[in-house]
Amino acid sequence: MGRKYRVGVIYGDGIGPEIVGVTLDVLEGLGFNAEFIEVKAGYDYYRRSGKVIEDDGINILRNVDAILKGPITTPLNVPSFRSVNVMLRRELDLYANVRPFKSFKRVSLRDFNIVLIRENTEDLYVGVETLVSGVAVALKVISERACRRIVRYAFNYALKHGFKRVTVVHKSNILRVTDGLFRDIFFEESRNYQVEVNEMIVDTTAYNLVRNPEVFGVIVTENLYGDILADLLAGLVGSLGLCGSAEVGDTVALFEPVHGSAPDIAGKGIANPISQLISAKLMLEYLAERFSDEVLTRIANALELGIKSVVEEGKVLTPDLGGSSTTKEVALEVLRRSSTYLGTHARAYQ
Ligand code: ATP
């Protein structure tokens, strides 16, 4: 029997509990040996308790092997509610936001395999704004330290995952000091890596991602540009419900869907669980690498193949992809296929 992992779980708001719940079932069904430790956090929890996260929550999350999180609502008109997502990134220093966007046959608009790596701790997200005499000002913070660690992360990621090219995306023709620093550090650091480099202005990138996404490999960019380009890429993949992400720090990492809490479809049992399942797959890969666990690598590969075959075959899909299946039916189908790839029978079917 291998290591038993300790996984922090935040169910989140809206569709979060539905898609996290079935994802835990799939992980257990595939034989992932873990203790799931729930940490209560989010807007629903805040409305019930007046707190955004339970008292010892951050401490618990600092001491687990990985965190699996559902989406959390950040309401527009509740100034006392601090964004849990931004708070977790800052408290746990999850500086690299890694979003793999891989097309699916039949579903995606184009054929591509792009990994968007977004700096996750600063830029306009430091949230320092003022309004003086009718003039609103927001502070954009770009530090040399944060630039260096994110571009190094991107180069190392590209080498490790077999990507030939890393593109830095910025707007340094206008923001010469802030984006200029990001760009300069990218090129300075690139001298230490055997990988092809490229740069692109953010608006041109949006255009080119739609026109020819196949020319991109790894993209590294600042916080705000990464946020916007991620949704563009999710659109190209075919649905927000098909995109997962990793937020990685030096000691812990958190895995969650790219999308929000989708309140419009919450509680209906029709949310697409694939985004959460892909996030879980990224978590298994992270743990497999960190703890040199080949069993986890096999489970992650089987899960990826299971997801791909269900989505590309197109028979068991949720309504966002034109299907009529429920969240549970899709998750069970992924479990069934993944178990076959793994050479086992899904426990839920025994
Ligand atoms: P937020 O402000 O938290 O990003 P939002 O409602 O603006 O929330 P999303 O929650 O990302 O944005 O949802 C955008 C649209 O995509 C909604 O119509 C939602 O129903 C749909 N959507 C998001 N995630 C899923 C999913 N997993 N399955 C099906 N549809 C989804």
Side-chain angles (χ1 to χ4, degrees), residues 6-12 16-17 19-21 23-24 27 32 34-41 54 60-61 64 66-70 254-255 276 283:
R6 298 181 74 244
V7 175
V9 176
I10 299 176
Y11 282 88
I19 58 176
V20 172
T23 298
L24 297 186
L27 286 173
F32 174 48
E35 179 192 356
F36 296 118
I37 303 154
E38 184 185 352
V39 171
K40 296 190 189 66
E54 69 180 74
I60 297 172
L61 296 176
V64 291
I67 303 160
L68 188 70
K69 174 181 165 297
L254 177 152
F255 301 84
Q276 195 75 54
M283 178 180 78

Side-chain angles (χ1 to χ4, degrees), residues 284-321:
L284 295 175
E285 287 171 347
Y286 165 84
L287 291 171
E289 188 187 330
R290 190 169 150 199
F291 296 99
S292 307
D293 187 335
E294 282 173 22
V295 175
L296 282 197
T297 304
R298 280 206 299 280
I299 298 179
N301 290 343
L303 182 54
E304 178 164 25
L305 287 170
I307 290 169
K308 190 171 153 62
S309 90
V310 170
V311 174
E312 295 188 344
E313 189 183 271
K315 286 188 182 150
V316 184
L317 297 178
T318 43
D320 56 306
L321 295 176

Side-chain angles (χ1 to χ4, degrees), residues 15 19 71-76 85 231 239-243 257-266 270-276 318-321 327:
I15 60 172
I19 58 176
I72 283 182
T73 305
T74 305
L76 274 178
N85 298 327
D231 272 30
S239 167
L240 270 167
L242 292 175
C243 307
V258 167
H259 56 73
S261 58
D264 52 333
I265 55 166
I270 54 163
N272 193 340
I274 299 286
S275 53
Q276 195 75 54
T318 43
D320 56 306
L321 295 176
T327 307

Side-chain angles (χ1 to χ4, degrees), residues 115 117 143 164 234 244 250 262 269-270 300 311 347 349:
V115 178
I117 296 182
S143 71
K164 290 199 190 76
D250 287 332
I270 54 163
V311 174
R347 286 188 199 163
Y349 286 83

Side-chain angles (χ1 to χ4, degrees), residues 187-203:
F187 283 108
E188 196 186 307
E189 286 292 329
S190 71
R191 292 188 212 116
N192 303 321
Y193 299 87
Q194 295 290 332
V195 64
E196 198 184 308
V197 290
N198 187 24
E199 65 177 314
M200 208 174 279
I201 300 293
V202 62
D203 38 320

